[in-house]
Amino acid sequence: MEYQKPKGTADLLPGTTNLWEKVEEVAREVFDQFGYRGIRTPMFEDYNVFSRNVGDTSDIVEKEMYDFHDKGDRHIALRPEGTAGVVRAYVENKLYGPEYPKPYKVYYMGPMFRYERPQSGRQREFHQIGVEALNNESPQIDVEVIAMAMQLFKRFGVPNVKLTINTLGDKQVREDYREALINFLKPHYDELSSDSQERMYRNPLRVLDSKDAGDQKIVAQAPSILDYLDEESQNYFDQVQSLLRELGIDYEIDTNMVRGLDYYNHTIFEIMSDSPVFGGGYTTVCAGGRYNGLISQLGGPEEGGIGFGMGVERLMLLLQEENPEFAPQDQLDVFFASANEDGDNLAFKILNQIRDKGVVADKDYSGVKVGKQIKEAFRRNAKYFAVFGEREVDEGQFQLKNAATKDTIDVKIADFVAEPTKYLR
Ligand code: ATP
Ligand code: MG
């Protein structure tokens, strides 16, 4: 029997995980600076946490959900995204109480599941790094969240990304616009792609970001949501824009941009890259927006929130292409080779003592010829190496070799284990 990973999943092997871990580390630093704290919610939730039967239905909920009935006949779904689960936890744990900070800022990193057609940068199990700022309705928070996302790309060493924003207004605006859009699309029904025909009544806004060239020609003439904003929504959007300009953050407005999930309103944004690694055109790596109304839909108070999710697989493709140096190289401070069994035993003992003092060290375990062991020291990128044999055991000292300069010094074993970092600079 030969086993294979499920379709649309990936094994992340050492070598690749270096980059992932570095990304996570830098993201945590940035989140910390902005006052966000980690949250870990279940990988699966009650199906209804994601499917709330309100408003338009999204493809994610309708077609892409990994859901099943468990042995107790509970309808369960693997999470397709992070926000709904975080909001469920926020409400269930009453984190809106007076003893908690406002906004309540959290970040998460982890796998998400969507039943999609796998292709480059699109999997069935994929990963997101995301944030949520709950319990606030202020354009400053929208801009802080966007600024933080842009800061992440800068710190990852890929600052050449495009920020696109739009507004979906409030509930009334969206309803008015939805109607206008359906009226506009109706006479074009026969010309639309079958996907868009299907979406026209289910989720007409989604037709706006159809990837079909014919659809795109039609929707280019569609009414703009900006013409349907009421005063409050217009003000909110104006403030977001003026704050972005104040912070010197470049952006474009794309009135045809919508989001795949139904709960967004007011500010939405995407950060895209046209790196050749994505094979032409702009690909969205990070997407987010405001979701006033979601917290109350999940049983909490009437408060707003905003967040984003960054697709880690797409970010990795981008980094490997645009900033391959970002991944730290595997490196050892020192590698021990040995010429005989006594030497090997001594090396084993010293290794344990210096690791205890924080040194990154390893030794040969294969017992091959000394020359081959030294080759391994270079392959492992060791800064120093040493060979232990009869003489080292008898004399209690050894030669420490600098792999780059080939400089060699005699070191007493007792001195070395007492203060190894003094010798391994
Ligand atoms: P798309 O239009 O590309 O399907 P979406 O609207 O479904 O995007 P979101 O739900 O906003 O995407 O997710 C945010 C980010 O997560 C995306 O911009 C992308 O980088 C990443 N992402 C979404 N689905 C997948 C997937 N199946 N595989 C890998 N990454 C994904
Ligand atoms: Mg999608």
Side-chain angles (χ1 to χ4, degrees):
M1 184 85 186
E2 259 183 60
Y3 295 103
Q4 288 182 333
K5 60 186 176 299
K7 190 174 174 189
T9 64
D11 295 318
L12 292 175
L13 307 176
T16 311
T17 45
N18 275 9
L19 184 56
W20 281 68
E21 284 161 12
K22 179 73 183 173
V23 160
E24 288 166 0
E25 180 191 319
V26 170
R28 280 198 182 90
E29 279 167 25
V30 172
F31 294 150
D32 189 46
Q33 275 187 285
F34 282 78
Y36 286 72
R37 308 200 41 216
I39 188 167
R40 301 182 192 210
T41 62
M43 230 79 88
F44 58 88
E45 297 272 357
D46 187 307
Y47 177 82
N48 294 310
V49 169
F50 304 111
S51 169
R52 288 170 306 279
N53 296 326
V54 284
D56 293 336
T57 59
S58 67
D59 284 356
I60 294 172
V61 169
E62 196 140 285
K63 296 193 201 145
E64 299 174 0
M65 201 97 94
Y66 262 104
D67 64 321
F68 57 96
H69 289 266
D70 73 4
K71 291 188 170 64
D73 206 31
R74 298 171 195 90
H75 195 179
I76 299 289
L78 303 187
R79 63 181 189 191
E81 51 107 9
T83 305
V86 167
V87 171
R88 195 269 313 136
Y90 173 78
V91 173
E92 186 172 343
N93 294 286
K94 299 195 169 54
L95 302 175
Y96 46 77
E99 66 271 43
Y100 296 105
K102 291 173 197 2
Y104 195 81
K105 299 177 181 178
V106 291
Y107 73 83
Y108 56 83
M109 305 179 178
M112 307 292 161
F113 307 85
R114 294 184 194 176
Y115 195 81
E116 301 210 63
R117 204 161 56 78
Q119 47 194 291
S120 170
R122 192 177 292 285
Q123 296 175 185
R124 291 185 174 172
E125 181 186 32
F126 65 100
H127 297 75
Q128 282 186 347
I129 296 178
V131 306
E132 313 296 343
L134 302 159
N135 200 333
N136 76 89
E137 284 177 38
S138 151
Q140 274 191 357
I141 298 297
D142 298 40
V143 172
E144 182 187 280
V145 165
I146 293 172
M148 184 166 73
M150 296 301 281
Q151 178 71 22
L152 283 173
F153 283 94
K154 205 164 132 194
R155 294 277 278 274
F156 295 150
V158 282
N160 295 329
V161 288
K162 182 168 93 170
L163 168 66
T164 302
I165 64 169
N166 191 20
T167 177
L168 296 175
D170 61 13
K171 209 166 155 237
Q172 187 60 50
V173 169
R174 199 163 154 163
E175 264 165 39
D176 293 347
Y177 180 62
R178 184 184 191 279
E179 204 181 304
L181 190 59
I182 291 177
N183 286 335
F184 166 82
L185 290 172
K186 260 187 209 157
H188 296 284
Y189 184 84
D190 293 335
E191 305 154 59
L192 290 171
S193 69
S194 57
D195 265 355
S196 288
Q197 286 179 341
E198 200 198 313
R199 281 176 180 147
M200 200 176 117
Y201 291 100
R202 217 161 36 81
N203 190 351
L205 269 66
R206 203 55 172 147
V207 176
L208 292 175
D209 78 342
S210 167
K211 311 280 185 284
D212 180 272
D215 291 350
Q216 283 174 356
K217 235 188 197 153
I218 296 168
V219 300
Q221 309 299 320
S224 162
I225 192 159
L226 300 187
D227 295 328
Y228 288 81
L229 297 182
D230 58 11
E231 203 183 320
E232 199 193 321
S233 300
Q234 182 69 58
N235 271 340
Y236 199 93
F237 195 44
D238 288 344
Q239 285 181 64
V240 166
Q241 289 185 62
S242 92
L243 289 170
L244 282 172
R245 283 194 298 268
E246 255 172 59
L247 298 196
I249 298 173
D250 289 335
Y251 64 90
E252 282 177 21
I253 297 175
D254 177 359
T255 55
N256 280 352
M257 181 174 73
V258 298
R259 305 280 336 112
L261 292 150
D262 57 17
Y263 49 63
Y264 288 107
N265 42 48
H266 289 292
T267 318
I268 57 172
F269 66 97
E270 292 192 5
I271 300 174
M272 310 181 226
S273 162
D274 63 351
S275 166
V277 74
F278 295 122
Y282 276 96
T283 293
T284 302
V285 181
C286 176
R290 179 162 279 288
Y291 43 80
N292 301 345
L294 180 63
I295 297 173
S296 62
Q297 270 180 40
L298 284 162
E302 207 41 81
E303 318 170 324
I306 181 167
F308 66 71
M310 187 175 291
V312 184
E313 280 76 7
R314 286 184 207 173
L315 177 64
M316 293 302 151
L317 288 172
L318 182 62
L319 279 177
Q320 277 154 4
E321 173 83 10
E322 305 292 329
N323 187 14
E325 307 287 287
F326 191 66
Q329 283 238 330
D330 283 334
Q331 209 181 35
L332 291 174
D333 294 323
V334 63
F335 185 89
F336 297 148
S338 56
N340 65 7
E341 202 178 318
D342 287 346
D344 183 54
N345 284 334
L346 178 61
F348 186 68
K349 210 174 108 194
I350 298 174
L351 184 66
N352 190 52
Q353 288 170 315
I354 63 172
R355 279 177 175 164
D356 196 46
K357 296 217 152 78
V359 173
V360 181
D362 215 339
K363 70 182 270 297
D364 171 79
Y365 289 97
S366 68
V368 294
K369 291 209 177 79
V370 173
K372 271 205 162 163
Q373 296 182 37
I374 291 172
K375 264 206 187 124
E376 180 67 5
F378 282 93
R379 207 188 60 79
R380 297 279 302 273
N381 236 335
K383 279 190 265 178
Y384 292 87
F385 66 92
V387 182
F388 290 87
E390 214 54 60
R391 201 174 66 96
E392 287 70 23
V393 173
D394 290 346
E395 295 174 5
Q397 68 171 31
F398 68 100
Q399 293 193 317
L400 185 66
K401 261 196 204 305
N402 184 313
T405 64
K406 305 281 184 289
D407 289 345
T408 303
I409 53 165
D410 289 313
V411 186
K412 285 206 174 69
I413 292 171
D415 293 344
F416 185 70
V417 297
E419 214 183 331
T421 48
K422 195 173 126 189
Y423 302 94
L424 299 172
R425 280 193 243 271

